[in-house]
Amino acid sequence: MAPPYQIRADYDARTIVVYQAYSPAIADAALRAGRFVAPFSFHRMTWIKPSFLWLMHRSNWARKPGQERILAVRMNREGWEEDLSRAVLTTADPAAVARAAVHVQWDPERSVRGAALNHYSIQVGISRHLIRAFNDDWIVGLTDVTPQVHKAATLIRTGRAAKAQGLFPAERAYPLSRTLETLLGPRG
């Protein structure tokens, strides 16, 4: 059984993959540029999620309006861990959350069919104060995974969930320092 609060992600020695869902206009422009460009907004918080299945639940397998395209954003681990080191849990004091450069919330992880599981997945909100660093310094590459998302969704809808799982990224426990574990652990 998975620990209740653990980051599970697709990562290697230098990078981690996080996922975001966008409109076709934002996704197409970003893929052409290799980074986020207009019409992406640099003036609001952007949320990144290392859990593929959580984003599938959130975007309804890339069928929600404005979330029809799924991008796998490969970022360097240095930037990821810098984000986490600045994080404030969204359940903290509202004044601290309002001042925070990075927000973290833990939501129930999801099954292939979208059911809430008894362990949690991390969502990381990068404030407008750090979005440029995220975009210009931390992103290593962008990949449109929408075709594999659609294929997996079709397999699931037609009763072939086990086959669909072969299309999912390999996610495993992400190693955190004791300091980050303490900072990100739920309180209350």
Side-chain angles (χ1 to χ4, degrees):
M1 189 160 132
Y5 297 92
Q6 178 186 63
I7 297 172
R8 286 168 293 283
D10 176 7
Y11 65 92
D12 60 28
R14 294 184 326 97
T15 64
I16 182 171
V17 177
V18 295
Y19 300 93
Q20 295 184 288
Y22 287 109
S23 69
I26 292 173
D28 288 339
L31 289 163
R32 277 192 302 274
R35 335 210 122 317
F36 291 103
V37 295
F40 177 86
S41 174
F42 289 92
H43 304 292
R44 61 190 283 275
M45 183 166 284
T46 191
W47 288 86
I48 57 177
K49 300 134 185 96
S51 169
F52 178 80
L53 283 177
W54 194 92
L55 188 59
M56 294 309 97
H57 166 73
R58 177 80 169 96
S59 70
N60 193 19
W61 293 87
R63 291 190 304 242
K64 262 191 189 167
Q67 298 183 27
E68 302 93 342
R69 299 284 291 286
I70 307 299
L71 299 183
V73 180
R74 187 167 290 277
M75 64 184 291
N76 65 52
R77 286 176 58 175
E78 183 180 311
W80 168 251
E81 291 180 15
E82 184 175 329
D83 273 353
L84 297 180
S85 74
R86 297 179 181 204
V88 171
L89 293 171
T90 57
T91 55
D93 172 62
V97 174
R99 289 187 309 272
V102 176
H103 294 179
V104 161
Q105 65 186 49
W106 292 94
D107 294 314
E109 181 61 276
R110 298 298 169 154
S111 73
V112 171
R113 295 197 189 329
L117 300 175
N118 61 0
H119 57 277
Y120 295 83
S121 179
I122 196 170
Q123 274 58 252
V124 179
I126 303 170
S127 75
R128 65 184 183 276
H129 307 294
L130 282 180
I131 289 177
R132 290 284 179 191
F134 166 69
N135 193 57
D136 299 342
D137 303 331
W138 301 337
I139 292 178
V140 174
L142 302 173
T143 304
D144 185 352
V145 295
T146 310
Q148 94 186 45
V149 166
H150 288 164
K151 185 174 182 180
T154 298
L155 289 169
I156 292 164
R157 278 194 306 276
T158 58
R160 297 178 286 168
K163 188 169 184 175
Q165 289 178 343
L167 297 171
F168 301 166
E171 295 175 355
R172 62 193 195 282
Y174 185 88
L176 289 175
S177 67
R178 177 77 62 206
T179 302
L180 286 178
E181 276 184 10
T182 301
L183 177 69
L184 301 173
R187 295 174 191 81

